[in-house]
Amino acid sequence: MSREFDLIGRCFAPLAGPEGLGLLDDAALFSPTQGRDLVITKDVLTEGIHFLSDVDPVTLGWKALMVNLSDLAAKSASPRLYFVGLSAPKDTPDSWFEGFAEGLRAAQEAGGLTLAGGDSTGSTGPRTISITAIGECPAGAMIRRNGATVGDDIWVSGTLGDAALALGAMLKGGEPDAALRQRLEQPVARLELGTQLRGLATASADVSDGLIADAGHIAKASGVQMVVERTLLPVSEAALACLKENPGLDHCIWSGGDDYELVFTAPAFLREKILAAGTLAGVPVTRVGRVETGEGVVMVDQAGVPVQTGAGGYSHFGD
Amino acid sequence: MSREFDLIGRCFAPLAGPEGLGLLDDAALFSPTQGRDLVITKDVLTEGIHFLSDVDPVTLGWKALMVNLSDLAAKSASPRLYFVGLSAPKDTPDSWFEGFAEGLRAAQEAGGLTLAGGDSTGSTGPRTISITAIGECPAGAMIRRNGATVGDDIWVSGTLGDAALALGAMLKGGEPDAALRQRLEQPVARLELGTQLRGLATASADVSDGLIADAGHIAKASGVQMVVERTLLPVSEAALACLKENPGLDHCIWSGGDDYELVFTAPAFLREKILAAGTLAGVPVTRVGRVETGEGVVMVDQAGVPVQTGAGGYSHFGD
């Protein structure tokens, strides 16, 4: 048997659910549940851009799947299936595939979904991982980006900037605080919060490119302006300690990437219910601003005066 | 606006159907049709492995989508949606993305599906394309690989080896026959044939890794032996002319890749209906062998004596 099929059978077939047909067919077979919509997302991670070459493959497997589950969480969908596309050099050792599959397994167990198919190919260059994830929600219940309404509150889950601060320290050759590093390497999709926000949030996105960039996606899709107040942004104790030593890094809070929190909007009369949703989901939610008429994202200080945000998220092909 | 979002808006948003939400959300929203199963496939194409660096981007866009549609054809599914993941160096010119999108457009129009989402990222290395395609078929109608039964006929659509012969000539610096080259660069998924085979074929796969390899997938999944007769394999006139000059390349017929034909099995009493299905679909179908007890694929001569097949398909991570 070729090594390709040996790796599929040994590392990936054990992750497959019934829809994957043992990874022995040309395609997966999925019978959708009546009355449910499908929510489908796809993310690509490239070595040297999204992850460092020497990253632990278990960590990478976890994160590659979790970033897709974060998209499903933002849409209020429950994960069902995923597909993995993997390009890797021929000399990639078996242990790397085994570790990557172990990370996928942990993430799929946390997310409640199974592998349904994929493709693995050789590459002459960096490893590239492409995951497509499919979730379900009751028909009509998906929370889109385009429903934010003037007067709505803007909310954020968890804390912001932790992952960007950890990455910044690592790129400088330093060792980040363990709590910050965990946020970078082991993000946890806010799936339960996403479910709890069904029928409450008017718009939602996951914070993967930085708050300013992702709130900007809601602003654009909804035709509104998102006004966020800098002093209200939720920051962890570990991040505060890091910023005390490096005050110039405060932009990581609003324009760092890899937070995998949710930014969402909801009418002001639902404040109590939003807070209760956070409690039920076990993740704090913080009101950080208000939807106004206009466009784009404006960050203001306590007096309401706009402040500079600097870079507004990562662009893959330059500005 | 960043170049990334400009490219998405200009090149890819015009390809999106309603499920893609204008490519402005975190995910696609798809409401499946009641009584239909979903058939889902994913293929990865890597520069330097699946395509040459200087390939025309229009050709590449067409082929990248068509190879996925070929999987759907083999499963008797009608294409509905697709997702594109694209990794490319930052200095990739706009014209490349525009050409790639043009190729996708031609293929999606031929296949009757629309773009629903994706992700584009920078890369420090070769371009990598990952497509996930979703098709529909009536509940229970998907043709799997595991239904081949001892005594069934083995059939192949179209002709075999054309693409491998063209690639062989190009890799040697030669100019292949135009008909062979078109088969390599502009494969056409056998979607109509796949639909016509519903309820007739007992097992089916697409021939992408060579007949021996892909018939082998049916053999393995069905627990049978596939016996194919070399002299029955359908070969085009252009391939015959090429083989006359290069008789040592005859293995391209049964172990070359990139055919994107269908290999399928059906009971002998359905021969007339299979031929009629080919006629209705506008593609010739040829009976090339018989399903026996045993395992694997055996190729025999006219006297029934096994002949060597040589390499049995491409393996991405070595043998």
Side-chain angles (χ1 to χ4, degrees), chain B residues 266-286:
Chain B
F269 72 86
L270 288 176
R271 278 179 198 173
E272 291 302 317
K273 289 200 169 172
I274 297 292
L275 290 168
T279 303
L280 281 169
V283 55
V285 291
T286 307

Side-chain angles (χ1 to χ4, degrees), chain A residues 1-5 7 21 23-34 36-50 71-72 74-75 81 83-92 97 116-126 128 130-132 134 137 139-140 142-146 204-206 209 214 217 220-221 314-319, chain B residues 1-5 7 21 23-34 36-50 71-72 74-75 81 83-92 97 116-126 128 130-132 134 137 139-140 142-146 204-206 209 214 217 220-221 314-319:
Chain A
M1 195 195 314
S2 77
R3 187 166 167 238
E4 181 183 357
F5 289 105
L7 284 169
L21 308 175
L23 306 188
L24 287 171
D25 216 304
D26 298 273
L29 175 61
F30 176 45
S31 302
T33 310
Q34 203 188 325
R36 299 205 157 238
D37 285 340
L38 297 182
V39 178
I40 311 170
T41 185
K42 184 183 187 89
D43 272 328
V44 177
L45 277 74
T46 304
E47 181 179 347
I49 307 272
H50 301 89
D71 283 324
L72 296 185
K75 304 294 100 182
L81 303 174
F83 298 78
V84 177
L86 185 57
S87 274
K90 275 204 180 198
D91 60 3
T92 304
F97 292 98
D119 195 13
S120 57
T121 78
S123 169
T124 59
T128 304
S130 161
I131 292 187
T132 305
I134 302 182
C137 64
M142 174 173 139
I143 307 172
R144 293 182 53 178
R145 285 180 177 172
N146 68 350
S204 171
D206 84 320
D209 294 331
D214 291 305
H217 296 147
K220 185 178 177 190
Y314 190 83
S315 170
H316 277 285
F317 300 108
D319 290 321
Chain B
M1 197 195 318
S2 78
R3 187 166 166 237
E4 180 183 358
F5 290 104
L7 285 169
L21 308 175
L23 306 188
L24 286 171
D25 215 304
D26 298 273
L29 175 61
F30 177 44
S31 302
T33 310
Q34 202 188 327
R36 298 205 157 236
D37 285 339
L38 298 182
V39 178
I40 311 169
T41 185
K42 182 183 188 89
D43 273 329
V44 177
L45 277 75
T46 304
E47 181 179 347
I49 307 271
H50 300 88
D71 283 323
L72 295 184
K75 304 295 99 181
L81 302 173
F83 297 78
V84 177
L86 186 56
S87 274
K90 275 204 179 198
D91 60 3
T92 304
F97 291 98
D119 194 14
S120 57
T121 76
S123 169
T124 59
T128 304
S130 161
I131 292 188
T132 305
I134 302 182
C137 63
M142 172 172 141
I143 306 173
R144 293 181 54 178
R145 287 180 177 172
N146 69 351
S204 171
D206 85 320
D209 295 330
D214 291 305
H217 295 149
K220 185 179 179 192
Y314 189 83
S315 170
H316 277 285
F317 300 108
D319 290 322

Side-chain angles (χ1 to χ4, degrees), chain B residues 7 26 33 51 55 58 240 244 263 268 281 299 317:
Chain B
L7 285 169
D26 298 273
T33 310
F51 60 91
V55 68
V58 183
L240 279 176
K244 208 169 173 180
V263 52
M299 192 162 71
F317 300 108

Side-chain angles (χ1 to χ4, degrees), chain B residues 19-287:
Chain B
E19 297 85 356
L21 308 175
L23 306 188
L24 286 171
D25 215 304
D26 298 273
L29 175 61
F30 177 44
S31 302
T33 310
Q34 202 188 327
R36 298 205 157 236
D37 285 339
L38 298 182
V39 178
I40 311 169
T41 185
K42 182 183 188 89
D43 273 329
V44 177
L45 277 75
T46 304
E47 181 179 347
I49 307 271
H50 300 88
F51 60 91
L52 305 174
S53 298
D54 59 355
V55 68
D56 172 42
V58 183
T59 298
L60 183 62
W62 170 279
K63 186 162 176 176
L65 182 51
M66 269 297 161
V67 302
N68 282 278
L69 300 189
S70 181
D71 283 323
L72 295 184
K75 304 295 99 181
S76 192
S78 303
R80 281 287 280 112
L81 302 173
Y82 71 106
F83 297 78
V84 177
L86 186 56
S87 274
K90 275 204 179 198
D91 60 3
T92 304
D94 278 15
S95 59
W96 191 90
F97 291 98
E98 290 158 5
F100 183 73
E102 189 184 327
L104 289 177
R105 172 178 291 283
Q108 78 174 42
E109 286 176 356
L113 75 171
T114 51
L115 182 66
D119 194 14
S120 57
T121 76
S123 169
T124 59
R127 281 164 291 190
T128 304
I129 299 155
S130 161
I131 292 188
T132 305
I134 302 182
E136 286 181 327
C137 63
M142 172 172 141
I143 306 173
R144 293 181 54 178
R145 287 180 177 172
N146 69 351
T149 305
V150 173
D152 280 356
D153 294 326
I154 302 170
W155 297 81
V156 164
S157 68
T159 57
L160 299 174
D162 299 314
L165 289 169
L167 183 63
M170 288 165 74
L171 289 177
K172 277 201 239 163
E175 177 56 38
D177 174 90
L180 298 181
R181 182 171 184 150
Q182 181 165 18
R183 291 273 295 166
L184 175 68
E185 296 184 339
Q186 294 215 290
V188 177
R190 302 303 189 190
L191 288 162
E192 181 57 29
L193 179 62
T195 305
Q196 293 293 339
L197 292 176
R198 226 171 255 172
L200 301 176
T202 50
S204 171
D206 85 320
V207 185
S208 54
D209 295 330
L211 175 65
I212 300 293
D214 291 305
H217 295 149
I218 292 179
K220 185 179 179 192
S222 298
V224 297
Q225 183 173 73
M226 305 281 277
V227 181
V228 299
E229 191 180 322
R230 188 174 57 179
T231 54
L232 297 180
L233 299 181
V235 182
S236 70
E237 288 189 26
L240 279 176
C242 179
L243 287 173
K244 208 169 173 180
E245 288 183 26
N246 309 277
L249 295 178
D250 57 352
H251 60 87
C252 285
I253 305 303
W254 53 83
S255 61
D258 271 354
D259 292 308
Y260 302 108
E261 296 293 351
L262 304 187
V263 52
F264 57 96
T265 58
F269 72 86
L270 288 176
R271 278 179 198 173
E272 291 302 317
K273 289 200 169 172
I274 297 292
L275 290 168
T279 303
L280 281 169
V283 55
V285 291
T286 307
R287 191 160 52 83

